[in-house]
Amino acid sequence: MRIGVAGFEHETNTFAPVKADYNAFAEAKAYPPLVTGQDLITALRGKNIPTTGGIEALEAAGHEIVPLLWCTATPSAHVTKDAYERISGQILELLSDAGPLDGLFLELHGAMVAEHVDDGEGELLRRVRAVVGVDLPVSVALDLHANVTEAMVRHADYIDMYRYYPHIDMAETGRRAAAGLMRMLEGGGRPAKAFRQLDFLIPINGGCTDFTPAKEIYLSRLEHYLSEYEGLEGLSFASGFPHADFADVGPSVISFARDQTTADAVADAFAAEIAAREAQFLPEFYEADACIKRALALAEGASKPVVVADTQDNPGGGGPGDTTGVLRALIANEAKAAVIGAIVDPETATAAHQAGEGAVVDFRIGGKRYPGDTPVEVRCRVKRVRDDSWIGLGAMKGGLAVNLGKIALLETVVEGVQVVVASKPAQTADSSIFYHLGLDVGALPIVVVKSSVHFRADFTDRAETILVAVAPGPVAIDHHQLNYQKVRAGVRLMPRG
Ligand SMILES: [Zn+2]
């Protein structure tokens, strides 16, 4: 059968300072650029991406792939109206020109907010449905940080979501979504569905599946329902993306079953047991200066680096990647040989390239894009400059080509603090950029990453211990600091501790 395949991913932090324009989707950074037609298949092959897994599963079953369009952008503030309309317009046009299809596979994030559309995916699915009609089976792979809406559930026939945070199972989720599509194609009919929203927001750090309660919920309880309930075809828990100010922000459970009674029973039971664990979702963290002092103490005599997550400026959650709170703490505490990265600062990266390796220059690092922050003015030696691509490491990023434009490794002359700067935004979700700049990561005392959770997929085994630091940035760990206007009544902004 002929299966249309498309992807349009964005995780929108409505509190972040920088929006996603068309170019943010068009160009490659930590993921492939916008691709259409056969280029889609070539660009995604072999990668940990939902569409890759979906295509593999559909091809293995003998179906013909009709590749339409795939793109993603680094999380940020709203998708511009121009980008949303151009990309969804392209998808709809390719869909109408694709000829008769038997099914549609879509990779979406589930937390996209455009300048003019709060429910980015719900509206896209509504428009897709208007083109393909009510009869075409449509299956959707979502991120577990999806803020699922009633419109998304209504217009999709099947939905499956990641079960790991860090997202080591993106391709695997695509395979499950493809399996859901194929059950319908093979005469299984449309499954009944049930959708339940929970009434508290989950801090992203509290949803890591390395720890309680997400570990048990995703890796044991979800599987329990799937094996115990006859007729249950799919079950997902979206822990939600809390940094989106719109009505449907927050966690939800969605189930698919051969009968409505099972779908409802499982969704109710699973949602209730997650709600009972509410207080367990509160994460542990330290204010930046206290965190670096603790990291220095723990690094003493350690055989591996202490890894620190600069979580509130995580570019994977919409952070600009250039806030200076933790860098200032490293300098103030004279954390010699510690490294922080990658700070998104094209001006500093360019200046380092112009000065050349070995040069000693006064830089103004970071602090240029987040309100209230200012650059760190400091004399550094340029240790290394590069502008080529490299390959990611670890269970999540392994095999993905990364190119962040001009990058550089600097070292403050007085304190010996090392700073990695990059020209394009991307979460520091693995250690590859540090190796690429010539650092021996295992020998460093402290490694600070601009990431919240994903870095754990590569760093957990490399780290003596991991600490979470709180410094200025829009990926607030305490949602009470954010000025929500649209959250539906009755939703608690933080888990009740
Ligand atoms: Zn996610």
Side-chain angles (χ1 to χ4, degrees), residues 54 63 65 109 144 183 365 376 412 458 471:
H63 297 299
I65 305 299
H109 183 286
L144 62 73
R183 278 194 296 272
I365 303 173
V376 173
T412 69
D458 180 49

Side-chain angles (χ1 to χ4, degrees), residues 143-148 161 202 218 236-240 250-254:
D143 192 303
L144 62 73
H145 293 112
N147 292 319
V148 184
M161 294 179 211
I202 297 176
Y218 282 103
S236 288
F237 167 46
S239 48
S252 61
V253 164
I254 180 163

Side-chain angles (χ1 to χ4, degrees), residues 7 9 30-33 35 40 43-56 70-72 105 107 141 162 167-175 396-398 400-401:
E9 283 226 30
Y31 284 99
V35 277
L40 183 160
L44 304 187
R45 183 165 289 142
K47 300 194 164 75
N48 179 26
I49 291 175
T51 297
T52 307
I55 289 174
E56 282 170 8
W70 182 94
C71 66
T72 186
F105 173 97
E107 172 193 332
Y162 307 161
H167 303 328
I168 58 175
D169 63 331
M170 295 194 282
E172 184 57 36
T173 301
R175 286 185 203 103
M396 181 176 168
K397 295 287 178 178
L400 276 166

